[in-house]
Amino acid sequence: MSYDAIVLAGGAARRLGGADKPALSVGGRALLDRVLDACPDARSTVVVGARRPTARPVRWTREDPPGGGPVAALDAGLRGTAAELVLVLSADLPFLDRDTVRALLAAPDAHGTDGAMLRDPGGRDQPLVAAYRAEPLRREIALLATEHGGLAGLPLRALTAELELTAVTAPPLAAFDCDTWDDLAAARARIREHGTVLDQWITAVKNELGIDLAVDTKTLLDLARDAAHGVARPAAPLTTFLVGYAAAHAAATGADPAQAVAEASRKAADLALRWAAEAETDAASEENGSG
């Protein structure tokens, strides 16, 4: 579906001692980049805040006045969008994922409402993890500006209270935000937990290298195991490197990248198994000969 994204990356971060919160890293990636990765297919992405390096191109703007609060920031971001549906996100969500974003974007049409907000596991609605129809959002912002003589300092509830919004239940960590140093430490520890660290690492590497490729982690790990056991331990990383190189070469000639990785992995794994079989045969022969 077509949508624009607005990421709010300003704020004083008082509980972080004024640190540049969107630039703080979790799993080696800036919080802002992690949020941007959750909405890669946005038609246009506007970040409200001071300019800083980002992993993908965005448009920048500032609220008026700077530090004027979330409603003023949302208004500034909205002025840079044209889609009928806008995704609004804060820049401190290390575990927000694309599936959650898709659920938010689908909910307004599914329920015939003005938008959808994420509801965290504690039952709290998150107006800065939400999808809104642009027309009612613009209307209510204009009414608030007229009523209060401006938007600076207004709380978000003054805006959301006038909109009909659907609640979308969040997965366990999707709404987790980093407001304090303890939050940041918890996020960094969580990302290294067994069972998730490999997926997080692969995602981080893909972003660092600027590639978007579905990686069959199990196939590559099985290949590395076969190369290590059937040939020698150093063969594992070298083999996976060569598989990647071969897959890139095949993709450059028009092959599907994911299929190219799968085919190269299959060939290399078969070769490793043949090496292992030869070694077993030779060992058995030596044993029989010595007997």
Side-chain angles (χ1 to χ4, degrees):
M1 65 189 69
S2 179
Y3 72 98
D4 289 338
I6 301 170
V7 181
L8 305 189
R14 292 183 181 86
R15 285 188 282 175
L16 288 166
D20 183 8
K21 180 163 64 168
L24 296 175
S25 67
V26 171
R29 299 166 61 206
L31 286 171
L32 176 56
D33 282 336
R34 298 184 72 87
V35 172
L36 292 174
D37 185 58
C39 54
D41 54 347
R43 191 178 66 179
S44 176
T45 300
V46 180
V47 180
V48 185
R51 287 178 177 268
R52 50 177 63 81
T54 53
R56 67 174 177 87
V58 299
R59 297 174 60 190
W60 295 93
T61 191
R62 291 302 304 266
E63 69 273 29
D64 183 23
V71 178
L74 182 52
D75 176 56
L78 197 58
R79 293 175 186 273
T81 66
E84 295 180 2
L85 188 65
V86 291
L87 177 72
V88 176
L89 303 172
S90 59
D92 60 351
L93 302 162
F95 303 112
L96 183 66
D97 59 86
R98 298 180 186 184
D99 287 343
T100 300
V101 165
R102 283 191 286 268
L104 285 169
L105 293 169
D109 278 346
H111 297 275
T113 55
D114 294 327
M117 288 191 297
L118 203 63
R119 178 167 291 168
D120 70 23
R124 295 176 294 272
D125 290 334
Q126 304 293 325
L128 293 184
V129 194
Y132 297 97
R133 295 189 194 275
E135 189 279 326
L137 192 62
R138 286 192 172 92
R139 181 192 67 231
E140 293 303 327
I141 286 176
L143 289 172
L144 283 174
T146 299
E147 180 181 351
H148 295 275
L151 301 172
L154 294 181
L156 274 171
R157 64 178 176 273
L159 174 62
T160 57
E162 302 302 324
L163 298 170
E164 184 182 359
L165 301 173
T166 299
V168 173
T169 302
L173 291 175
F176 183 95
D177 57 5
C178 293
D179 286 331
T180 67
W181 291 113
D182 285 345
D183 292 339
L184 190 71
R188 289 172 172 172
R190 176 81 65 163
I191 212 167
R192 289 176 169 81
E193 287 184 351
H194 180 70
T196 63
V197 66
L198 280 180
D199 287 340
Q200 293 286 352
W201 170 247
I202 292 299
T203 299
V205 171
K206 289 193 294 184
N207 277 272
E208 191 73 16
L209 300 180
I211 59 175
D212 188 9
L213 173 68
V215 176
D216 187 339
T217 304
K218 182 179 184 304
T219 295
L220 291 177
L221 290 177
D222 287 346
L223 168 61
R225 178 203 62 205
D226 292 340
H229 293 172
V231 184
R233 290 187 66 182
L238 294 173
T239 302
T240 52
F241 165 78
L242 291 172
V243 162
Y245 184 86
H249 180 73
T253 64
D256 175 78
Q259 291 181 356
V261 170
E263 179 63 12
S265 298
R266 183 191 63 77
K267 290 180 178 179
D270 287 347
L271 177 61
L273 293 175
R274 294 200 301 271
W275 272 61
E278 286 181 6
E280 290 174 2
T281 299
D282 291 345
S285 297
E286 289 179 5
E287 185 175 326
N288 292 335
S290 63

